[in-house]
Amino acid sequence: MPEHPPPPRIPYVDESRCQACRKCVARKMCRVKAIVAIDPGEPPFVDGNLCYGCLVCIPACPFEAIVT
């Protein structure tokens, strides 16, 4: 029986660290635009339906607010 790869790790935004930047670097780095901001000044969130777990957003955030 073939082994399936593990499901992707979906990161999330740690709201206690997030500075709700106007120009979120992590959002800009996300190729599928899975980091969504609804209201200006509020922390964004990671849409698990869009995110495929590449984790490129984690090192992009200067405040280390995106974690797994």
Side-chain angles (χ1 to χ4, degrees):
M1 189 170 227
E3 283 192 38
H4 294 282
R9 293 185 311 171
I10 305 298
Y12 65 93
V13 177
D14 180 346
E15 292 187 15
S16 68
R17 294 181 184 178
C18 181
Q19 302 297 306
C21 302
R22 261 180 25 136
K23 294 187 179 185
C24 177
V25 179
R27 280 186 72 203
K28 188 177 276 189
M29 295 299 294
C30 181
R31 293 176 61 194
V32 296
K33 305 302 178 208
I35 301 175
V36 181
I38 302 294
D39 294 319
E42 293 291 321
F45 66 93
V46 178
D47 184 337
N49 292 317
L50 296 175
C51 179
Y52 59 87
C54 73
L55 306 179
V56 73
C57 57
I58 292 175
C61 178
F63 302 101
E64 299 180 351
I66 302 178
V67 293
T68 54

